[in-house]
Amino acid sequence: MLVYVVQCTVPTGQPTGQPTGQPTVYLQTEAFTASGTFTVPLDVVLVTVEACGSKGEGGNYGGVGGNGGCIICEGLEVTPTENLIVHIGGYGTEGGGIDGGFAGKGGGGSDVRRGGDDLTNRIVVGGGGGGGGAYTGKTGGSGGGTSGLKGTDDPAAKGGLGGNQTFGGAGGYGSGSNHGIAGVLGIGGTAGRNPSYAGGGGGGYYGGGAGGSESTANKGAGGGGGSSYCSPLASISSNTQGTSATGSVLFTYSFAPSAQPTGQPTCIPSGQPTCVPTGQPSGQPTCVPSGQPSRQPSGQPTGQPTKFLKNANMTKSTKDTINMAWYGGKAALLGIVIANYMRN
């Protein structure tokens, strides 16, 4: 009987390694073009803030106001659900210097405040541009950067200087007593004469100084731009001057879903188990009749057994016949032997 040994291979073991990839991260933005409050969403602990100051106002028949600046602060640490106060600058608002009547007002700075609503609570500030002078075509200085730019001079009066990280910009010199007023923390300088023809200083972290006016002619210089600022607890990725016409603040933050995958990775075997005979068959083939004979012997033997007699009860003629047959057989055999001999 042949015996085959069969080995079957089936999937074994446990899944190896860890799930790959990262949870989906969602990027969200929230923009402000008017003052308001930003509430930090749940699960958010870092934000990026872009603050842009306002452009300065243009003067009568005269100079164009300087553009505001934009600053981007990354990695600001915040607390979920806390409120951050947002201020958006405009002409003569949020620190934009007053022109005195005929020239342009300074552009206001835009900022974000944390822990209160004072100027000392600001953590990000975009500087505003200086106002343009009247009747002269003298432009205001651009806001932004670590220091705002100086306003354009008039032949008989000087433009206001830009604010920086420590001081407000100085007011521009004017003929007679028509000097511009210096900027201070968060506020651009005001023109020194009323009516004045000089542009006001732009608001910002520190405001720019107002331009000076001529005493004998209705002309004036441009105001200086205000500076931008980012909290030292964050990093500055961009700080540009003169890139913004309107005030704005943009928050950008990312978060992953709070729910995490549960359970373990599941491995499902593919295909079917494979069975392969191994080794050689053992033993010998065995033939075993199947079933039983369909019939059994029936009846009794017929006839009588043959008896061989040895000389008993034989007649002489019978014996002579047997002897002749015996000797005849021997003679025939001898003839065959002699014929074979002669052949060879």
Side-chain angles (χ1 to χ4, degrees), residues 17-248:
Q18 298 294 324
T20 59
Q22 299 294 325
T24 301
V25 176
Y26 296 92
L27 190 66
Q28 183 69 42
T29 60
E30 188 168 342
F32 287 79
T33 56
S35 299
T37 300
F38 172 72
T39 301
V40 178
L42 291 172
D43 300 322
V44 174
V45 294
L46 293 174
V47 296
T48 294
V49 179
E50 179 183 32
C52 297
S54 171
K55 177 181 181 178
E57 185 180 29
N60 290 352
Y61 304 103
V64 178
N67 281 339
C70 294
I71 189 169
I72 300 176
C73 295
E74 295 182 338
L76 281 168
E77 295 187 0
V78 292
T79 302
T81 72
E82 79 167 308
N83 293 324
L84 302 178
I85 301 172
V86 178
H87 288 261
I88 303 298
Y91 294 155
T93 65
E94 303 299 342
I98 304 303
D99 63 310
F102 293 98
K105 301 178 179 65
S110 299
D111 64 67
V112 177
R113 307 181 186 189
R114 186 181 190 191
D117 199 19
D118 295 329
L119 291 174
T120 54
N121 296 118
R122 296 177 299 170
I123 56 175
V124 183
V125 183
Y135 303 109
T136 60
K138 307 306 179 182
T139 61
S142 295
T146 55
S147 295
L149 297 184
K150 178 178 179 293
T152 304
D153 292 338
D154 177 73
K158 301 297 181 181
L161 300 181
N164 56 40
Q165 302 297 295
T166 309
F167 303 102
Y173 176 83
S175 60
S177 59
N178 301 319
H179 310 308
I181 305 299
V184 296
L185 180 70
I187 301 174
T190 301
R193 176 186 175 192
N194 191 9
S196 174
Y197 300 95
Y205 183 57
Y206 275 91
S213 295
E214 293 187 30
S215 59
T216 58
N218 298 329
K219 298 180 181 180
S227 61
S228 295
Y229 171 81
C230 178
S231 167
L233 299 179
S235 60
I236 299 174
S237 64
S238 177
N239 192 3
T240 60
Q241 293 177 320
T243 54
S244 172
T246 57
S248 65

Side-chain angles (χ1 to χ4, degrees), residues 1 284-290:
M1 179 173 66
Q284 297 297 323
T286 302
C287 294
V288 180
S290 62

